[in-house]
Amino acid sequence: MNQPLRKLTAIVIVMFLMLIGALTYIHFFQAPSLNADSRNVRTIYQEYGTDRGNIVVAGEPIADSVPAKGQYKFQRTYADGPLYAPITGYFSVAYNSLTGLERSQNTLLSGSDSSLITQRIQELITGKQPRGGSVALTINPAVQKAAMDALDGRTGAVVAIEPTTGKILALVSSPSFDPNKLASHTFATAEEAWNAYQADEQQPLLNRAIGGDLYPPGSTFKIVTASAMLESGLTPDSMVDAPTSYTLPGTNTQIYNAVGVCGDGSGKATLRTALVLSCNTTFAAGGVAVGAEKLIEKAKQYGFGQDLDIGLPTTASRFPQPADKASLAMDSFGQKDVQASPLQMAMIAAAVANHGTLMKPYLVDQTLTADLAVVSQTNPTVFSQPISRTTADQLTSMMKDVVSHTPSAAVSGVNTAGKTGTAENAGDDHAWYIGFEAAEKSRIAVAVFVEHGGFGSVTAAPIAAQVIQAATS
């Protein structure tokens, strides 16, 4: 064989080996990511050829599949679509996309998850139509509906947690959207809904409950600062600085209390009084005295800066290293650089309600086969121990006094504890409230956020009261 022919043969062999290598890499190594890619039209075609499993709340499907005519064999439908849309998300063939639990639980719902291997073998042997598995949620339908009804169309969010287990009882974002429209097999219908949602200034596709956007928590963050102050050696009855105004360290800038005079006007008050009256000056000075490192660590123990995998993608709340003591002072009462989600603030309330133990929040209670046999059960697990039981009891006592001072937060026949928040913002102030049933075994902790809602005591607290009432009735 002459030299040119040998070179050509070598090149052909190398090219052949490269082709085999590329095909092997794509089929064996890239296959999972390619199948998961929302742009993969073949995946969507395959998904719509499967009787997709249900998403279930209290034994009733809130998302299921029904037979359909045309190239797609099944149509995804959503009961009470807008009520549960922040949880279910949508499954859209028109836009070749999945969101929410439809995305995070896709392999189970589509029937391709390895946990369903026995079911898949049985379907193969019997020739039955492939079916997906189902997902049973922790949501309490009465609490979910009460939260949505109480928001009454206002822009905001509610998250409710069972403190002793971490079960998420309600997760509401308002305004919501109708996933049925986006799941339509008629492209024109889906496109019209999509364009309307995208053009809506209130961003109904944004899940305000768990992130995407974060918000200054305002005075609800004072529970974190109060935790650090109590664990530095103070008690609820300790006298603390409570001046009418406070000069931020290293500046000539003064901050003031929303109530004006804090306590008796002497410049001193008990920590209990400072929390009840929500004195900014006390917690600004208190945060500076505790120090940035200890306050940041306390926030982290409550969940700030950490991955909060609840079965849906979440945005970590932020408490960055303050640039200086002036920034720390502002951060200490929930302004400046502190940013939080309603989920995060509900976790703070839940930790206090559960005597200092923060349980890991979760949304998926069980995964099931198509025949509703249990595949997996989520067991409650401890997320952290941000405060001692003594500190939790002290905070509960102080937060019960907050409710006594805030009639709009009271729940008839139920002992409750809470904290209002009014967060300054570029536009109108945001309204916050966090609270819980004050009992040995608390049934609910809740966070309410109303965007541009003004005073927390006026707007957010009554919403929380209705949600707590629904959980304890």
Side-chain angles (χ1 to χ4, degrees):
M1 183 181 294
N2 59 36
Q3 187 174 357
L5 189 57
R6 285 199 301 272
K7 289 182 178 179
L8 178 61
T9 301
I11 291 172
V12 170
I13 292 173
V14 170
M15 292 177 65
F16 181 76
L17 291 174
M18 290 176 64
L19 178 61
I20 293 298
L23 289 173
T24 301
Y25 178 74
I26 290 170
H27 281 275
F28 289 93
F29 297 102
Q30 280 196 311
S33 62
L34 290 172
N35 287 332
D37 195 318
S38 62
R39 296 168 295 178
N40 188 343
V41 178
R42 291 178 183 271
T43 299
I44 294 296
Y45 286 170
Q46 181 180 355
E47 299 290 357
Y48 272 88
T50 301
D51 186 0
R52 194 169 174 83
N54 297 338
I55 300 174
V56 180
V57 168
E60 297 295 328
I62 60 171
D64 65 357
S65 296
V66 297
K69 296 179 180 180
Q71 60 180 320
Y72 307 118
K73 295 181 182 179
F74 294 94
Q75 167 76 54
R76 199 64 167 159
T77 63
Y78 300 89
D80 292 317
L83 176 62
Y84 292 105
I87 299 169
T88 62
Y90 61 81
F91 183 70
S92 173
V93 63
Y95 283 93
N96 191 20
S97 61
L98 305 82
T99 64
L101 285 176
E102 292 281 24
R103 185 177 184 85
S104 68
Q105 300 297 314
N106 181 51
T107 58
L108 185 93
L109 293 170
S110 67
S112 63
D113 195 84
S114 59
S115 65
L116 300 176
I117 185 64
T118 302
Q119 173 186 306
R120 289 158 62 188
I121 292 172
Q122 290 175 344
E123 291 169 346
L124 183 64
I125 294 173
T126 61
K128 289 183 178 179
Q129 166 69 42
R131 295 182 296 167
S134 293
V135 179
L137 306 185
T138 59
I139 295 295
N140 180 319
V143 179
Q144 180 82 2
K145 188 175 187 306
M148 182 64 86
D149 289 347
L151 276 170
D152 195 23
R154 286 170 288 200
T155 301
V158 176
V159 177
I161 297 173
E162 186 175 71
T164 57
T165 63
K167 290 181 178 180
I168 296 176
L169 305 177
L171 195 153
V172 169
S173 179
S174 176
S176 186
F177 65 95
D178 187 354
N180 289 293
K181 294 179 180 179
L182 296 174
S184 174
H185 289 187
T186 304
F187 182 78
T189 300
E191 182 181 38
E192 181 182 3
W194 176 262
N195 290 339
Y197 293 144
Q198 290 293 318
D200 192 330
E201 292 182 355
Q202 291 189 307
Q203 298 178 280
L205 297 176
L206 176 66
N207 194 330
R208 293 173 168 85
I210 57 178
D213 281 357
L214 298 174
Y215 312 93
S219 292
T220 56
F221 188 78
K222 289 173 182 172
I223 299 303
V224 178
T225 306
S227 299
M229 293 171 70
L230 287 167
E231 296 200 332
S232 72
L234 299 179
T235 71
D237 297 320
S238 295
M239 298 301 293
V240 293
D241 291 334
T244 302
S245 65
Y246 173 81
T247 303
L248 296 176
T251 76
N252 294 320
T253 303
Q254 290 189 319
I255 60 169
Y256 300 90
N257 301 313
V259 295
V261 175
C262 185
D264 61 7
S266 66
K268 294 283 187 178
T270 64
L271 184 57
R272 181 187 303 275
T273 296
L275 188 73
V276 169
L277 298 181
S278 202
C279 303
N280 293 336
T281 58
T282 295
F283 291 95
V288 171
V290 167
E293 298 307 320
K294 289 184 179 179
L295 197 54
I296 290 172
E297 179 59 27
K298 185 59 62 182
K300 181 179 178 181
Q301 291 168 358
Y302 275 116
F304 276 78
Q306 300 201 53
D307 177 23
L308 306 178
D309 180 13
I310 63 169
L312 292 175
T314 63
T315 302
S317 296
R318 297 193 297 266
F319 185 178
Q321 181 70 39
D324 47 38
K325 287 186 177 181
S327 297
L328 173 60
M330 294 290 290
D331 290 338
S332 299
F333 59 96
Q335 295 291 164
K336 195 68 170 69
D337 299 318
V338 178
Q339 298 281 301
S341 66
L343 170 63
Q344 173 61 77
M345 300 315 294
M347 289 171 64
I348 292 171
V352 180
N354 196 38
H355 312 294
T357 300
L358 176 57
M359 304 302 290
K360 184 181 185 299
Y362 64 99
L363 192 57
V364 175
D365 189 35
Q366 294 178 326
T367 61
L368 311 165
T369 67
D371 295 324
L372 303 183
V374 175
V375 175
S376 69
Q377 171 79 51
T378 303
N379 295 316
T381 57
V382 174
F383 181 86
S384 66
Q385 185 81 36
I387 51 177
S388 67
R389 183 180 182 113
T390 297
T391 300
D393 290 346
Q394 291 172 330
L395 285 169
T396 298
S397 173
M398 295 160 69
M399 293 170 74
K400 287 171 70 174
D401 286 351
V402 170
V403 173
S404 296
H405 193 74
T406 313
S408 60
V411 179
S412 178
V414 182
N415 283 326
T416 58
K419 181 68 188 80
T420 59
T422 304
E424 294 181 3
N425 184 55
D428 294 333
D429 294 343
H430 297 321
W432 282 92
Y433 183 83
I434 62 173
F436 53 89
E437 178 195 23
E440 179 60 30
K441 189 174 182 180
S442 176
R443 289 172 284 182
I444 184 172
V446 64
V448 176
F449 166 74
V450 181
E451 191 170 329
H452 307 306
F455 291 109
S457 60
V458 174
T459 309
I463 295 172
Q466 292 179 58
V467 175
I468 293 173
Q469 184 75 70
T472 54
S473 296

